[in-house]
């Protein structure tokens, strides 16, 4: 028998076969797709660590919205967002509509269509505004709404400027009665910066969805059901190891499941041996692909804070961080709060903190040990300087 393809999906933005957690939120938002009864769900902010499933959540919502007949527009918050929405996303969405709906759009006088009712251009007389587009599109759609997802929201100036323009237009469109749901995704600090912008009052009433690790129960479910969909079972002791090593961190769940699956792909069951092989490989891979990136993204000060924490194997007393960093307690409080907000660190009992991203502490410890013991990191070339020409 040949080996069955792995149903696990390690990789950024790869929608998992089984989506763990967030069942309540998904149910409620799906309900809105069916009923158009938005309640507080006109805007949703999805925030959490790298690799915690924000993009997958957006993709899941997009698929569900489409299944309910909604128009879906998706983009990320990079420079030129408004231009892309107006010049390509909206025209693209128009062209995908059923012909009878498209013919309703002709009379609105906003867009020009050819004989096959395909979008040609905007009418020159009407000032192009996202607000006008959304209201018109929404009217033509009748009992179906528009979902707009914006990924990769960050605190960079360009992105925030772009997003506040976008948010202002959406808020006007909502006032004019457009049936729109906007879902933003980014790390926590970036979303906070977005909320500080002017003209984004409607965002302050947003529904917030936090992405952290999955519960142990959901983690088990993801392993078992994903393997089953792929056509195999996981033995109990193997399952226990996979759940424990992944710590419910979504990217790691997929990596571990994938390595375990591939270790002996033709066997009907995933065994403890497969899970053990997966353990080492998955941790190395998650360090390479996620944790090292997370760590490099942080400022020097944040890194120093985490290094001070990594001196302990377990949780760390905040007072010890003050001593180790040699700065004031107030200063440490500021950094502590920042790292808690962005999800790297969590309070752990009164006056203590610990790492909330699994393996980050161990990674930093290894980096620090490496920095002390390693040679200059030149790959041994120090002994072979390039000779000058005789
Ligand atoms: N709810 C989930 N259950 C199981 N696996 C998941 C879930 N969400 C995401 N994953 C898996 O986790 C990995 C990372 O997902 P994703 O790219 O959505 O994360 P992200 O939060 O968008 O990361 P980043 O902040 O770096 O953009 C993927 O391999 C995906 O298949
Ligand atoms: Mg993402």
């Amino acid at each position: 028998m040949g080996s069955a393809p792995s149903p696990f999906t390690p990789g950024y933005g790869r929608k998992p076969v089984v989506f763990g957690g967030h069942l309540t939120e998904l149910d409620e938002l799906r309900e809105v797709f069916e009923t158009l009864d938005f309640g507080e769900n006109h805007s949703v902010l999805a925030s959490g660590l790298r690799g915690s499933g924000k993009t997958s959540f957006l993709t899941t919502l997009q698929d569900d919205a489409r299944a309910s007949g909604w128009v879906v527009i998706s983009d990320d918050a990079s420079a030129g967002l408004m231009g892309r929405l107006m010049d390509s996303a909206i025209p693209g969405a128009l062209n995908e509509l059923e012909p009878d709906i498209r013919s309703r759009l002709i009379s609105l006088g906003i867009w020009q269509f050819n004989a096959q009712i395909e979008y040609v251009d905007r009418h020159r007389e009407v000032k192009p505004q996202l607000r006008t587009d959304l209201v018109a599109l929404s009217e033509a759609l009748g009992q179906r709404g528009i979902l707009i997802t914006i990924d990769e929201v960050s605190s960079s100036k360009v992105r925030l400027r772009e997003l506040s323009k976008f948010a202002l237009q959406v808020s006007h469109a909502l006032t004019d009665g457009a049936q729109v749901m906007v879902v933003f995704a980014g790390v926590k600090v970036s979303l906070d910066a977005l909320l500080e912008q002017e003209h984004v009052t409607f965002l302050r009433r947003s529904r917030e969805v936090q992405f952290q690790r999955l519960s142990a129960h959901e983690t088990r479910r993801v392993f078992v059901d994903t393997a089953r969909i792929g056509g195999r079972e996981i033995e109990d002791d193997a399952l226990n190891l996979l759940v424990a090593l992944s710590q419910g961190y979504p990217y790691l769940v997929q990596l571990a499941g994938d390595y375990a699956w591939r270790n002996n792909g033709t066997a009907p069951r995933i065994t403890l041996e497969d899970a053990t092989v997966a353990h080492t490989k998955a941790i190395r891979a998650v360090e390479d692909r996620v944790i090292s990136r997370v760590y490099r993204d942080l400022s020097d000060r944040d890194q120093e804070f985490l290094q001070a924490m990594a001196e302990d194997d377990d949780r760390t007393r905040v007072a010890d961080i003050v001593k180790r960093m040699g700065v004031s307690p107030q200063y440490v409080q500021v950094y502590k709060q920042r790292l808690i907000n962005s999800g790297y660190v969590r309070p752990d009992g009164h006056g203590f903190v610990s790492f909330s991203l699994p393996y980050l502490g161990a990674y930093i410890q290894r980096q620090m040990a490496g920095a002390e013991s390693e040679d200059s990191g030149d790959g041994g070339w120090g002994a072979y300087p390039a000779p000058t020409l005789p």
Side-chain angles (χ1 to χ4, degrees):
M1 187 183 102
S3 53
S6 165
F8 290 93
T9 52
Y12 285 107
R14 290 188 61 194
K15 184 184 165 185
V17 170
V18 178
F19 192 94
H22 300 289
L23 302 175
T24 326
E25 285 99 345
L26 282 173
D27 276 353
E28 270 185 46
L29 296 173
R30 282 175 187 141
E31 180 90 11
V32 177
F33 298 150
E34 287 301 319
T35 60
L36 288 176
D37 180 5
F38 285 83
E40 294 278 82
N41 293 314
H42 275 294
S43 76
V44 180
L45 303 177
S47 69
L49 293 171
R50 271 183 189 277
S52 58
K54 302 176 295 295
T55 302
S56 305
F57 179 70
L58 297 185
T59 321
T60 305
L61 288 178
Q62 289 159 11
D63 293 348
D64 293 345
R66 276 195 201 95
S68 303
W70 278 39
V71 164
V72 174
I73 295 173
S74 62
D75 208 318
D76 62 57
S78 57
L81 169 68
M82 289 298 275
R84 289 194 302 277
L85 290 176
M86 303 286 293
D87 304 336
S88 86
I90 301 258
L94 297 177
N95 281 339
E96 277 173 26
L97 294 172
E98 297 84 341
D100 61 317
I101 297 187
R102 273 187 274 155
S103 51
R104 265 185 251 160
L105 296 169
I106 300 175
S107 60
L108 298 172
I110 302 178
W111 305 287
Q112 302 176 36
F113 296 91
N114 63 16
Q116 288 76 45
I117 332 182
E118 280 159 3
Y119 174 93
V120 177
D121 202 353
R122 294 180 173 277
H123 276 296
R124 300 268 171 245
E125 307 78 65
V126 185
K127 184 175 170 227
Q129 288 210 80
L130 183 61
R131 153 192 201 170
T132 326
D133 282 13
L134 292 176
V135 173
L137 187 54
S138 178
E139 263 168 33
L141 283 168
Q143 280 310 299
R144 294 147 50 177
I146 305 167
L147 172 69
I148 309 179
T149 67
I150 308 284
D151 204 354
E152 307 286 339
V153 173
S154 84
S155 331
S156 88
K157 279 218 179 66
V158 179
R159 290 187 182 224
L160 288 180
R161 199 174 336 114
E162 200 77 29
L163 282 168
S164 58
K165 272 194 255 167
F166 168 76
L168 179 62
Q169 289 289 317
V170 173
S171 81
H172 284 315
L174 290 174
T175 314
D176 295 347
Q179 315 264 36
V180 178
M181 181 192 291
V182 194
V183 189
F184 295 95
V187 292
K188 179 84 171 77
V189 271
S190 334
L191 291 177
D192 285 347
L194 175 64
L195 291 177
E196 282 163 15
Q197 299 294 297
E198 283 176 74
H199 312 307
V200 294
T201 354
F202 88 97
L203 289 182
R204 302 217 173 87
R205 291 191 303 269
S206 294
R207 153 140 220 185
E208 290 201 45
V209 187
Q210 300 264 4
F211 286 76
Q212 285 161 352
R213 56 180 173 164
L214 307 174
S215 68
H217 175 266
E218 279 296 287
T219 307
R220 278 183 91 85
R221 182 175 77 85
V222 171
F223 277 119
V224 172
D225 290 358
T226 308
R228 201 165 282 158
I229 289 169
R232 297 171 73 193
E233 300 288 319
I234 307 179
E235 290 184 355
D236 269 349
D237 45 4
L239 181 60
N240 287 336
L241 177 56
L242 290 171
V243 171
L245 79 88
S246 74
Q247 289 291 301
Y249 182 46
Y251 201 137
L252 191 46
V253 167
Q254 301 297 333
L255 277 167
D258 193 58
Y259 282 122
W261 180 281
R262 288 170 196 275
N263 191 49
N264 188 5
T266 53
R269 299 164 78 85
I270 293 176
T271 63
L272 182 59
E273 194 194 321
D274 299 330
T276 309
V277 170
H279 187 178
T280 330
K281 288 189 174 173
I283 302 302
R284 288 277 171 273
V286 85
E287 282 187 355
D288 272 5
R289 297 184 204 176
V290 191
I291 295 185
S292 58
R293 280 175 65 185
V294 165
Y295 188 59
R296 275 201 309 271
D297 285 348
L298 293 168
S299 70
D300 290 350
R301 280 308 194 177
D302 285 338
Q303 289 188 358
E304 275 174 42
F305 187 104
L306 296 178
Q307 285 170 9
M309 282 178 66
E311 287 188 28
D312 300 307
D313 286 326
D314 199 354
R315 57 183 194 161
T316 302
R317 199 184 286 280
V318 177
D320 288 341
I321 302 180
V322 173
K323 263 188 248 148
R324 289 169 194 168
M325 288 182 74
V327 293
S328 71
Q330 292 79 358
Y331 185 95
V332 163
Q333 282 306 325
V334 171
Y335 278 85
K336 181 186 106 181
Q337 201 49 53
R338 242 176 54 174
L339 286 162
I340 290 176
N341 285 344
S342 37
Y344 301 109
V345 167
R346 61 186 164 85
D348 193 353
H350 190 68
F352 286 88
V353 284
S354 55
F355 288 100
S356 48
L357 178 61
Y359 304 107
L360 179 58
Y363 172 80
I364 298 173
Q365 283 173 349
R366 227 181 352 269
Q367 290 294 107
M368 292 189 333
E372 280 161 22
S373 69
E374 233 171 50
D375 59 1
S376 50
D378 68 350
W381 288 105
Y384 298 91
T388 47
L389 282 172

